[in-house]
Amino acid sequence: MVETGVTTEKKLSKRPEWNKGKGAGKRCGDLTTGTWSRTSSSGKSYSLSTGVKIQKIIGIDLSTSRNYASNSKLTYSLSKSTRMLCGNNEKPGQASKIAQYRN
């Protein structure tokens, strides 16, 4: 067997654009270069039995799960060109999901 020398990239979904549109100013904030983190002592476990449906491609579907821990910490290392964080439904400190953007 030999390698073909060819690769393929398949994007599963578009990146959310929480930094644009109505309400972006309420969901985003500029930060200084360095480390930003948020800790939490509450949360819920979850699982998705059909997290990625790719059986036709690799022969199986993939599931995903997240276990709950009494302490969790989310940390971003912010570079000079990417110093904006946006939440999906609130400022990053309170949002349920967070993404990093260039400002």
Side-chain angles (χ1 to χ4, degrees):
M1 283 195 210
V2 296
E3 293 284 337
T4 63
V6 179
T7 61
T8 302
E9 180 179 314
K10 178 73 174 172
K11 294 188 178 189
L12 298 176
S13 63
K14 288 185 175 183
R15 181 172 183 191
E17 294 185 346
W18 299 328
N19 63 329
K20 297 179 182 176
K22 186 177 180 180
K26 294 180 181 179
R27 294 188 307 265
C28 299
D30 293 335
L31 300 165
T32 58
T33 303
T35 302
W36 179 90
S37 63
R38 179 176 84 180
T39 59
S40 176
S41 59
S42 63
K44 295 181 180 179
S45 300
Y46 70 85
S47 64
L48 300 171
S49 60
T50 55
V52 181
K53 296 183 80 74
I54 54 175
Q55 183 175 9
K56 291 181 181 179
I57 298 169
I58 65 170
I60 60 170
D61 288 333
L62 303 175
S63 64
T64 184
S65 65
R66 178 182 168 101
N67 291 322
Y68 170 73
S70 60
N71 279 328
S72 63
K73 184 175 184 178
L74 175 66
T75 303
Y76 278 87
S77 295
L78 303 165
S79 67
K80 194 171 186 176
S81 63
T82 56
R83 298 184 306 175
M84 183 192 314
L85 289 180
C86 297
N88 65 327
N89 56 357
E90 190 64 55
K91 290 273 189 193
Q94 298 294 319
S96 57
K97 297 178 184 177
I98 300 170
Q100 184 175 356
Y101 299 91
R102 295 175 191 253
N103 56 345

